[in-house]
Amino acid sequence: MAAKRIMVQGTGSHVGKSVFATALCRLFAQDGYKVAPFKAQNMALNSFVTREGGEMGRSQVVQAEAAGVEPHVDMNPILLKPTSDMGSQVIVRGRAIGMMKWQEYSGRKAEFLTEALAAFERLAEAHDVIVIEGAGSPAEVNLREGDIVNMRIARETQSPVYLVTDIDRGGALAWVVGTMELLQPEERALVKGILINKFRGDVEILRPGLTFLEERIGVPIAGVIPYIRGLAIAQEDSVSLEEPEDGGEPETSAHRLDVAVVQVSRISNFTDVDALKLSEDVRVRFVRPEQALGRPDLLLLPGSKSTIDDLQELWQAGMVDQMRAYARSGGCIVGICGGYQMLGEHIADPHRTESTRGELGGIGLLPVRTILQPKKLTTRVQGKVYYPEAIAASIKGYEIHTGQTQRLGGRAWVEISREHRREGEPLTVYDGCCWMDDGGGRDGAMIFGTYVHGLFDEAGFRRRFLDLLRARRGWPKFGAPEKARENPYDALAETVRRHLDVAQLYRVMGL
């Protein structure tokens, strides 16, 4: 294990572990080190396809990007994608090995730990520094025996630990003390610094609390990181969608497009909309199935890990009726992956790949039918959206799906070349479906579906698509080019560097 390492654990979920680990990846890369992120076991519905065609969690992809290295499945060797409250699809080194309930998965923990440590060893031999991320909290005593992601990894890799807590939620000091009290003595000895995250206000007001904390637990405060507004870094967990930005009716704006994203229970790869959030003439809001849809300029139906179950939720909550009415009134809808499948006429799951329900009628806005298959397709793609002409542009992205969708009418929407494919499938395919009423004029419905994740990340296509929506409102094109933005990783690393005791960090790592 040649590389130096630091592990980031937290007092709970969504306290800032992933973001702080991302900042450290950038910070070490800026200082001249070859850095790799690592998370032994991740539970997330947002995933990514590597160059080799493997599937891994988005947080380590973001961290790899911050580190300036190519994402690899060794950075996240075990990925769990929940399909219900009781079971998950298990992905080992990029490949799905099946659906498991907790007891079955727990019985194979030793095997998965061996896989994770072997992946870590490979990274450590090829890099100078490894930034390891934990999951949830290390103080869950009921999970300690089968732990393969928190303190067990810290012990096995001989990693010093920074413990992150979120002070914006309140009770951060008690959270830290309680976490330390519940750790075993040998685990407490690994904690070398406490990071207070998301602080607002004058840090001097907090100083007595920091002094108390250091005296109580005998661990130094490594830094107090301020609350960072407008953080333009992809969030992995759907918990981030519970921020106040989402909701029902939009704010009115003379020339700002309203994009509504349907937030189903098993929403996956909602990072597909992140690029739209960064466009200056767009406001993105998330709408739950029971909420009023309003009259958005674009309705986006994203992916789902349990497509049939989430489609059933849309039926029961009345969202299907809202979407159909919106389409009849001339709305524009884009479905991606599971959202594309839901927009069709019918979804069948004969092998019970995602659900105990064998089939369900779709929303019926695209003339397609989908059959879910046991084998998953994971591949990067590149190609072109060629219809309608106003949005014809090159795209690239990735596919992650089990479904095979048959187009019964309408038009194919994109032509793509796949880096990987299922046996017997062509390398270049016509993907998706496009259905337009009245030729896509200002009053005509426009319904699009595709399996390609990340298509809005391509600036040329994104701008053409948004300008088409503006034209439907009678607005001029967004004349000014999109402003060059400061690299979000550099901005994040700069903020953390200012408020973190970097010298102490280097000392505990032996750098």
Side-chain angles (χ1 to χ4, degrees):
M1 296 188 294
K4 303 295 184 183
R5 68 293 311 264
I6 184 71
M7 186 168 193
V8 180
Q9 297 190 30
T11 55
S13 297
H14 205 55
V15 297
K17 294 186 296 292
S18 295
V19 172
F20 184 61
T22 301
L24 291 185
C25 285
R26 190 60 159 198
L27 187 151
F28 289 127
Q30 289 174 337
D31 290 352
Y33 293 100
K34 185 178 181 182
V35 187
F38 179 77
K39 187 168 185 174
Q41 171 195 282
N42 203 348
M43 178 176 283
L45 290 177
N46 276 341
S47 58
F48 178 83
V49 177
T50 68
R51 190 178 301 279
E52 297 78 19
E55 190 175 0
M56 61 182 288
R58 287 282 304 194
S59 62
Q60 279 61 61
V61 172
V62 168
Q63 290 159 12
E65 190 174 71
V69 296
E70 182 73 20
H72 191 276
V73 294
D74 278 347
M75 298 171 182
N76 175 211
I78 311 295
L79 175 63
L80 307 179
K81 302 185 79 172
T83 56
S84 69
D85 291 340
M86 299 298 291
S88 296
Q89 183 182 60
V90 179
I91 297 165
V92 178
R93 296 204 70 233
R95 300 298 175 195
I97 65 170
M99 308 295 296
M100 295 186 193
K101 292 187 176 180
W102 173 251
Q103 285 188 334
E104 181 184 359
Y105 178 75
S106 183
R108 297 180 63 177
K109 281 286 189 74
E111 169 192 343
F112 297 142
L113 176 62
T114 299
E115 286 277 4
L117 293 176
F120 180 88
E121 292 278 3
R122 288 188 289 270
L123 292 177
E125 290 299 324
H127 297 82
D128 304 319
V129 171
I130 310 292
V131 177
I132 310 171
E133 182 186 343
S137 163
E140 305 293 343
V141 294
N142 55 305
L143 302 177
R144 178 177 288 141
E145 185 176 348
D147 172 38
I148 64 169
V149 68
N150 284 315
M151 283 299 177
R152 180 66 182 273
I153 292 295
R155 295 198 308 271
E156 295 283 353
T157 61
Q158 303 168 40
S159 298
V161 173
Y162 270 19
L163 185 65
V164 181
T165 192
D166 177 1
I167 198 169
D168 192 53
R169 295 187 180 188
L173 303 187
W175 212 350
V176 171
V177 172
T179 298
M180 293 294 288
E181 288 289 333
L182 289 173
L183 296 179
Q184 298 293 330
E186 64 272 20
E187 296 171 340
R188 285 196 292 272
L190 292 171
V191 180
K192 303 300 183 182
I194 305 297
L195 192 82
I196 309 296
N197 195 27
K198 303 183 188 178
F199 178 73
R200 309 175 194 242
D202 185 351
V203 72
E204 291 306 314
I205 299 174
L206 183 61
R207 192 71 61 191
L210 301 181
T211 300
F212 161 81
L213 196 57
E214 288 184 325
E215 292 175 350
R216 175 64 184 262
I217 64 175
V219 177
I221 304 299
V224 178
I225 310 301
Y227 190 99
I228 304 174
R229 298 182 183 278
L231 188 63
I233 293 176
Q235 299 290 302
E236 180 176 68
D237 296 327
S238 58
V239 175
S240 64
L241 300 184
E242 296 171 8
E243 302 292 332
E245 67 173 354
D246 63 355
E249 293 294 334
E251 300 169 355
T252 57
S253 175
H255 291 87
R256 197 174 181 200
L257 295 168
D258 173 35
V259 176
V261 183
V262 181
Q263 185 181 340
V264 290
S265 292
R266 298 292 175 185
I267 186 171
S268 66
N269 289 80
F270 56 82
T271 48
D272 283 334
V273 306
D274 283 354
L276 295 175
K277 290 182 180 181
L278 296 178
S279 298
E280 295 179 42
D281 60 334
V282 172
R283 184 223 177 201
V284 175
R285 58 190 173 94
F286 285 84
V287 182
R288 295 180 178 84
E290 69 277 6
Q291 289 182 302
L293 178 60
R295 188 66 173 82
D297 297 291
L298 169 65
L299 176 62
L300 196 144
L301 189 57
S304 164
K305 190 63 194 72
S306 298
T307 308
I308 289 181
D309 290 343
D310 279 344
L311 176 58
Q312 179 67 22
E313 179 185 24
L314 297 183
W315 277 108
Q316 292 175 342
M319 179 56 76
V320 170
D321 292 334
Q322 288 197 71
M323 293 177 67
R324 288 176 169 179
Y326 171 70
R328 287 195 299 270
S329 70
C332 179
I333 303 176
V334 172
I336 299 177
C337 199
Y340 168 36
Q341 297 169 350
M342 292 185 211
L343 287 175
E345 297 176 358
H346 187 262
I347 303 175
D349 189 4
H351 306 283
R352 302 303 192 268
T353 302
E354 292 186 0
S355 171
T356 57
R357 185 186 299 271
E359 59 182 350
L360 188 63
I363 298 171
L365 295 178
L366 283 177
V368 300
R369 292 182 179 177
T370 299
I371 299 178
L372 302 181
Q373 304 288 338
K375 189 175 181 180
K376 181 185 290 189
L377 175 67
T378 58
T379 180
R380 291 191 185 186
V381 302
Q382 59 182 350
K384 183 178 181 179
V385 173
Y386 64 92
Y387 187 79
E389 185 177 349
I391 59 174
S394 297
I395 60 167
K396 60 183 179 180
Y398 55 97
E399 294 181 75
I400 306 175
H401 61 91
T402 61
Q404 289 187 319
T405 298
Q406 179 185 12
R407 185 166 47 84
L408 307 174
R411 302 181 60 159
W413 194 33
V414 300
E415 182 181 12
I416 55 173
S417 296
R418 292 169 170 160
E419 293 185 14
H420 304 84
R421 52 182 171 164
R422 293 188 180 103
E423 185 177 353
E425 289 190 345
L427 193 63
T428 300
V429 298
Y430 291 100
D431 173 75
C433 183
C434 168
W435 187 88
M436 303 178 69
D437 182 29
D438 258 352
R442 285 181 60 181
D443 299 323
M446 301 170 58
I447 317 294
F448 306 99
T450 180
Y451 275 118
V452 180
H453 294 287
L455 75 164
F456 288 115
D457 293 349
E458 297 302 303
F461 169 73
R462 180 175 68 248
R463 191 66 262 162
R464 284 172 176 262
F465 193 92
L466 294 176
D467 280 340
L468 175 63
L469 297 180
R470 293 175 67 86
R472 284 162 59 87
R473 291 282 292 258
W475 297 346
K477 291 183 178 181
F478 192 66
E482 293 192 8
K483 292 181 180 179
R485 295 176 176 85
E486 182 181 20
N487 186 300
Y489 303 123
D490 287 338
L492 174 63
E494 180 184 352
T495 299
V496 170
R497 195 185 288 271
R498 284 201 311 267
H499 298 276
L500 176 70
D501 188 343
V502 178
Q504 191 254 3
L505 170 67
Y506 269 53
R507 284 195 304 274
V508 303
M509 292 178 65
L511 283 172

